[in-house]
Amino acid sequence: MVFHLLLRRSFFYSPRIFSTRQSLSLRTYTSKAGMGSIEVPIKVLVIGGSYGGLSAALNLYDYCNGKEARARLHDPVGGSGIVIPVEIKVVDERDGYYHLIGSPLALASEEYADKNWVRFADLPALKAPGLSWAQGSIVKVDTEKNAATIADTVSGKEYDESYDYLVIATGLRRQWPAVPQSLTKKAYLAETGKHIAEVKAAKEGVVVIGGGAVGVEVAAEIKTVEPTQKVTLVHSRDKLLSSEPLPDEFKDRSAEVLRETGVELIVNERVTENVEVESTDGSPRYRVTLSSGKQIFTGKVIFAISKSIPTTTFMSESTLDANGFIKIHNTMNLLTDSPTARSHYAVGDIASWSGIKRCGAAMAMGHIAAANIHQVILQALFGTEPTFVEFPEVPPMIAIAVGKKAVCYSPDNGTTSGEEDLQKMFRDDLGWSICWNYMQLGVEWTTTVT
């Protein structure tokens, strides 16, 4: 997981808009000429309740209620004034919205951890007629029949859900500590609470293994929250973030800023062994052996090495690329010749698209999918010519929070770092308030601006 926020204009991109007329199939609706009233609600199923999924659901809800979308930065049209009855259902394995970018701080601060997970039942933005959520996972999607099979997380029972439009925003399967493995907020707080207690109690310090964005940010946040705790980061390559397509200047600056926080950095060393050993007082103690033969004794070991896996086992192989990501057009709908192509969309990390995976792009893709679904609906109901929004190719760009500074890179601005970068990209809460406000998650729909 790359923990960063790229919502600022300098890190974003301008979607292109184009018009086209297509013959589309849709359920039969009865409309009252000139009034924009439709008798049968349109059913939209959104799989995934994180950045991309919530962005798609909430922006589409705005559009279908005739209002300007809340993501005004990418709004191609504005409010149509036409109210279209819609039922939008969000399905997610978790019981709430989890701010993924905040994971490093959530693993160091119990106060922040509690804030970082908001149950869907407590989310003001979802408390609107026509919006609902369910905790479950997708077993199968039949794109020809517009039907999905869902396994209820609590009961384990499967049920079928039909839809007119499907938005897939399931993201990637990531391991701890990139994301919590718990599916409820209660279990998550117990999970993070145990981890934080172990970090605080580690008598010989903490060793973080892996120098990707996860490892760098986890190590930096622990050192920032617990400045007296010894923190060591071990990375197998000579430069941090070695797997990312980024210039050496950015990687070198990241290492420099990390060292400034007080984290000890060991590079070009692989961990060959990690074993628990006996301590004199019974406290946890581990011996970490490196490829050079050097040994480190520590009270806590955090593995920040894992490969993210696309969560697309429920999709037909014909819809996936060689790596398991969903193939899409630049209008977010599936890249297929099927007549149902304009009924199926994929956004966020699960989509096969250029650029480093990040939440800013996921929210933008969710909004663009919502705008284009709305255009398809208007065409089917009223015969209007759709104005579709295209998502551009995205060059590598990134921002990581390293203690009290951020290190950023974009093709236009090059590498920058400092406290101002942290405030611009993350503020004081690892982007929690920026994402929360951008999607207006704390605002009940009836009070949003028309």
Side-chain angles (χ1 to χ4, degrees):
M1 173 64 180
V2 178
F3 299 109
H4 55 267
L5 183 66
L6 302 179
L7 286 178
R8 297 292 180 245
R9 290 181 182 273
S10 61
F11 276 80
F12 235 168
Y13 20 71
S14 299
R16 292 197 302 142
I17 303 170
F18 71 98
S19 298
T20 185
R21 182 174 290 277
Q22 297 186 5
S23 176
L24 302 167
S25 61
L26 189 69
R27 289 192 306 173
T28 300
Y29 294 86
T30 302
S31 63
K32 298 178 181 180
M35 296 180 65
S37 177
I38 298 91
E39 294 179 357
V40 182
I42 292 171
K43 295 181 67 176
V44 180
L45 180 62
V46 179
I47 309 174
S50 190
Y51 306 113
L54 287 179
S55 176
L58 296 173
N59 282 296
L60 181 58
Y61 190 81
D62 291 341
Y63 280 125
C64 288
N65 280 277
K67 295 194 174 187
E68 180 182 48
R70 62 195 65 205
R72 297 180 182 88
L73 180 61
H74 307 285
D75 198 339
V77 179
S80 67
I82 300 173
V83 177
I84 302 171
V86 65
E87 294 178 354
I88 302 175
K89 183 175 184 176
V90 178
V91 177
D92 195 279
E93 289 184 326
R94 300 188 181 99
D95 72 353
Y97 161 72
Y98 179 72
H99 180 55
L100 288 168
I101 301 169
S103 284
L105 183 53
L107 293 175
S109 166
E110 290 183 279
E111 180 182 0
Y112 183 84
D114 183 59
K115 171 183 178 178
N116 209 44
W117 184 309
V118 182
R119 297 189 315 139
F120 290 126
D122 300 327
L123 207 58
L126 290 181
K127 296 179 179 179
L131 278 174
S132 64
W133 66 275
Q135 189 177 2
S137 57
I138 303 302
V139 178
K140 182 177 67 174
V141 169
D142 189 330
T143 57
E144 299 305 314
K145 295 181 179 179
N146 281 19
T149 302
I150 301 170
D152 183 273
T153 298
V154 178
S155 69
K157 294 182 179 179
E158 296 183 2
Y159 62 94
D160 294 329
E161 187 89 25
S162 62
Y163 56 83
D164 295 304
Y165 297 93
L166 176 70
V167 179
I168 304 168
T170 49
L172 306 178
R173 184 73 63 191
R174 298 180 171 95
Q175 300 301 313
W176 176 275
V179 296
Q181 304 303 293
S182 303
L183 299 180
T184 66
K185 180 171 183 176
K186 181 179 180 180
Y188 151 76
L189 290 177
E191 181 183 21
T192 54
K194 178 177 181 293
H195 172 87
I196 292 170
E198 291 172 349
V199 167
K200 290 180 177 179
K203 292 188 174 181
E204 295 181 83
V206 176
V207 171
V208 179
I209 301 172
V214 175
V216 170
E217 292 191 331
V218 165
E221 291 301 331
I222 291 174
K223 190 63 180 178
T224 301
V225 175
E226 302 289 340
T228 60
Q229 184 62 282
K230 179 183 178 182
V231 181
T232 304
L233 177 68
V234 180
H235 187 53
S236 61
R237 305 296 180 88
D238 63 335
K239 294 185 183 296
L240 297 178
L241 295 103
S242 50
S243 64
E244 302 291 355
L246 298 165
D248 286 347
E249 181 185 6
F250 172 83
K251 298 173 182 179
D252 292 339
R253 187 78 60 83
S254 298
E256 177 185 332
V257 175
L258 182 63
R259 287 191 175 100
E260 289 176 2
T261 68
V263 172
E264 180 183 348
L265 180 58
I266 300 175
V267 296
N268 266 333
E269 288 271 27
R270 289 184 301 104
V271 173
T272 59
E273 185 182 49
N274 171 48
V275 294
E276 187 170 5
V277 296
E278 187 177 350
S279 63
T280 56
D281 60 0
S283 62
R285 191 174 195 240
Y286 301 87
R287 183 182 68 235
V288 178
T289 304
L290 307 181
S291 52
S292 64
K294 179 181 178 180
Q295 293 183 334
I296 304 172
F297 289 92
T298 182
K300 175 71 173 175
V301 178
I302 301 173
F303 282 89
I305 302 172
S306 66
K307 184 177 181 180
S308 300
I309 303 172
T311 51
T312 51
T313 54
F314 54 84
M315 293 295 291
S316 166
E317 288 188 8
S318 64
T319 65
L320 309 177
D321 68 10
N323 296 312
F325 294 92
I326 298 176
K327 297 179 290 187
I328 59 169
H329 286 282
N330 55 9
T331 47
M332 302 295 105
N333 60 291
L334 265 58
L335 186 62
T336 173
D337 294 329
S338 170
T340 65
R342 285 282 181 196
S343 297
H344 296 85
Y345 297 74
V347 301
D349 291 357
I350 202 65
S352 179
W353 203 254
S354 57
I356 296 172
K357 304 294 185 182
R358 62 196 192 283
C359 82
M363 287 189 286
M365 295 168 86
H367 174 223
I368 290 173
N372 290 337
I373 291 172
H374 182 245
Q375 289 296 305
V376 174
I377 293 172
L378 291 178
Q379 181 191 22
L381 294 176
F382 306 109
T384 57
E385 183 175 352
T387 302
F388 294 125
V389 187
E390 292 181 330
F391 192 66
E393 295 293 332
V394 183
M397 58 179 74
I398 193 173
I400 60 172
V402 187
K404 296 181 180 180
K405 296 181 180 180
V407 185
C408 310
Y409 170 77
S410 71
D412 292 338
N413 298 323
T415 299
T416 61
S417 64
E419 295 181 9
E420 291 184 1
D421 289 279
L422 181 72
Q423 288 300 311
K424 181 173 68 173
M425 305 307 297
F426 298 93
R427 295 185 185 165
D428 294 320
D429 55 9
L430 283 191
W432 188 93
S433 58
I434 297 177
C435 291
W436 183 266
N437 294 333
Y438 183 78
M439 292 188 286
Q440 297 183 26
L441 298 180
V443 181
E444 289 194 29
W445 184 82
T446 54
T447 62
T448 55
V449 178
T450 58

